[in-house]
Amino acid sequence: MSAHSTQPWKKPGFWLLITALLVVGVGSTLAVRNVLQTRQAAREQAELPPPRQVKVVALGRIEPASRVIDVATAEAGRIDRLEVQKGDRVEQGQVLAYLDTYDVRRAERDVAASQLAEARAQLAAETTLGNSQVQEASTRVGQIDGPQQAAIAAQQSAVESLQAELDVAEIDLARFQELNASGAISRQELDRQQATVNSLRADLGNAQATKQRLEQARLSDIRNAQAQVVSARATSTRAEVASQVDSAAQSLALAEAQLARTIVRSPQAGQVLDIFAYPGEAVAPADGPILALGDTRQMVVVAEVYETDIGLVELGQPVTITSRNGAFSETLTGTVSEIGLQIAKNDVLDDDPAANADARVVEVRVAVDQSEAVAALTNLQVDVAIDIES
């Protein structure tokens, strides 16, 4: 037997084997230790309280607080005159542009106005004439009534006088009849007194009949005169002219409305942000706006907050706003001023191609404290952080 077979440590492969075994053992020990440490760390992590969210972050866009108003024409035509330029500040109701049909509509308005003035002048003349006729008819009533009232009063006096004479004669007749029965007077004297009574009775009847005729004539004449007054007050000519005035007034209102449709006015105070149509270009309501308008004195950020985070957002929470592309260098501040009431698809898309392009979001409006810094940056994309812990 050789020396190498009895002393294996002297063989070259023996120490290699020992070294390999040692390496494997150390590696196993380290692996076991790492597993134990990982499990311990996992247990410790599980025992920690969950992290608390202190901010809601979102993408947003800058726009005027009054929103961007797309101003369009009321009817089709061509832009004749543009009264503003990009960047101009305008007041509510200020003229922004005229269509080419403005001059024609203005002429039609002027014709309608002159027709209305003519109709009103004619109505005034007819009214004056009618008032004169009414006054004349009213005067005629007085002229008729006065003399007839006097005649009736005189006839009433005559009736009363005859009645008094008849009363006396009838008393005398009764006395004569007693005297005749006693033989104190003759039959001839009695007959003469009876004739006097009969004559007075006839005169009284005639006087009463005359008074009745006078009263009936007065009533008839007054009715006729009053009918003339009513006729003078409501003549067909004046009614026709009044109808013409109403018709002319309606025509003028229509002409003014058509004229107003050829003028583009500012719906609110603000600044002209962009112009889409210039003089000579054809426009129509269906073709879109001719300019964009917004009140840039107060700017807001419309932040698109994920539907999962919207429950954490409240009015009045402080907000920080930053620009990822360097449009403004400082960090702006603001306050949550309005929270949307519906969930929609996001409009502001992240530059990251891996970002969710079809997220469900709620629009939250943030009033910007430094409006002047972003007054010229409408629709700029910004990053928004809402401090929900405050």
Side-chain angles (χ1 to χ4, degrees):
M1 182 177 296
S2 64
H4 289 289
S5 61
T6 58
Q7 297 178 350
W9 58 85
K10 292 184 178 182
K11 294 181 179 180
F14 176 80
W15 294 109
L16 291 175
L17 177 61
I18 294 299
T19 301
L21 291 175
L22 290 174
V23 170
V24 171
V26 172
S28 299
T29 302
L30 291 176
V32 171
R33 183 181 299 174
N34 289 337
V35 170
L36 294 176
Q37 291 177 347
T38 302
R39 290 178 179 177
Q40 179 65 23
R43 284 195 297 268
E44 293 176 354
Q45 185 66 30
E47 292 173 357
L48 292 175
R52 183 176 59 182
Q53 185 176 359
V54 296
K55 289 186 179 181
V56 169
V57 295
L59 291 177
R61 66 182 185 276
I62 295 176
E63 68 176 30
S66 62
R67 293 176 170 81
V68 176
I69 306 298
D70 290 331
V71 182
T73 59
E75 62 181 31
R78 293 184 181 277
I79 299 293
D80 183 55
R81 300 194 304 276
L82 197 61
E83 300 295 315
V84 293
Q85 296 179 351
K86 187 185 299 185
D88 287 353
R89 291 198 172 274
V90 297
E91 298 298 327
Q92 183 177 6
Q94 181 176 332
V95 175
L96 304 177
Y98 293 94
L99 295 182
D100 58 347
T101 53
Y102 170 76
D103 292 335
V104 175
R105 295 286 188 246
R106 184 176 61 179
E108 292 174 349
R109 189 276 313 272
D110 293 343
V111 171
S114 64
Q115 291 175 344
L116 176 60
E118 181 180 351
R120 284 175 173 169
Q122 185 177 357
L123 177 61
E126 291 292 340
T127 301
T128 302
L129 176 60
N131 290 338
S132 300
Q133 293 175 342
V134 170
Q135 183 64 35
E136 181 181 355
S138 300
T139 302
R140 190 178 302 115
V141 172
Q143 291 173 345
I144 291 173
D145 192 39
Q148 289 183 339
Q149 286 277 28
I152 292 172
Q155 190 63 29
Q156 177 64 27
S157 298
V159 168
E160 292 174 354
S161 176
L162 288 172
Q163 183 66 53
E165 291 180 9
L166 176 60
D167 292 341
V168 173
E170 287 178 342
I171 293 173
D172 290 342
L173 177 60
R175 185 167 53 82
F176 277 20
Q177 287 174 343
E178 292 176 356
L179 292 174
N180 178 261
S182 61
I185 60 172
S186 63
R187 179 69 184 182
Q188 183 178 5
E189 288 177 325
L190 176 61
D191 292 340
R192 195 166 36 248
Q193 186 62 33
Q194 182 67 51
T196 300
V197 170
N198 292 339
S199 176
L200 288 173
R201 286 175 177 172
D203 292 342
L204 178 60
N206 290 333
Q208 291 174 336
T210 299
K211 177 189 173 185
Q212 186 175 7
R213 286 197 300 272
L214 289 173
E215 290 175 342
Q216 290 177 347
R218 172 182 171 272
L219 290 176
S220 178
D221 291 344
I222 287 178
R223 288 194 187 100
N224 291 335
Q226 289 175 340
Q228 291 177 356
V229 172
V230 173
S231 177
R233 286 176 176 169
T235 60
S236 59
T237 302
R238 262 201 304 170
E240 181 180 352
V241 174
S243 176
Q244 291 176 357
V245 170
D246 292 339
S247 177
Q250 293 175 359
S251 297
L252 177 58
L254 176 60
E256 288 178 339
Q258 291 176 336
L259 176 63
R261 291 174 64 86
T262 66
I263 305 173
V264 182
R265 295 183 181 275
S266 175
Q268 65 176 27
Q271 186 177 25
V272 178
L273 303 178
D274 203 353
I275 296 176
F276 309 120
Y278 291 87
E281 294 183 342
V283 293
D287 295 338
I290 65 170
L291 57 84
L293 183 70
D295 190 353
T296 57
R297 290 174 296 181
Q298 176 60 58
M299 302 296 286
V300 299
V301 171
V302 181
E304 296 183 344
V305 177
Y306 289 122
E307 59 182 348
T308 54
D309 294 334
I310 193 62
L312 303 174
V313 180
E314 298 179 359
L315 294 177
Q317 290 175 335
V319 180
T320 56
I321 305 144
T322 56
S323 172
R324 64 175 57 183
N325 56 15
F328 53 88
S329 57
E330 68 273 23
T331 298
L332 306 182
T333 59
T335 306
V336 175
S337 61
E338 181 182 333
I339 300 175
L341 300 177
Q342 60 180 352
I343 298 174
K345 181 181 177 298
N346 59 322
D347 290 330
V348 182
L349 301 180
D350 200 316
D351 297 335
D352 185 358
N356 189 358
D358 192 20
R360 307 292 291 174
V361 297
V362 177
E363 289 191 345
V364 174
R365 296 176 70 83
V366 177
V368 180
D369 296 332
Q370 302 84 6
S371 290
E372 66 281 358
V374 292
L377 300 177
T378 296
N379 289 328
L380 174 70
Q381 180 177 318
V382 293
D383 293 315
V384 178
I386 303 173
D387 187 354
I388 60 174
E389 192 175 30
S390 298

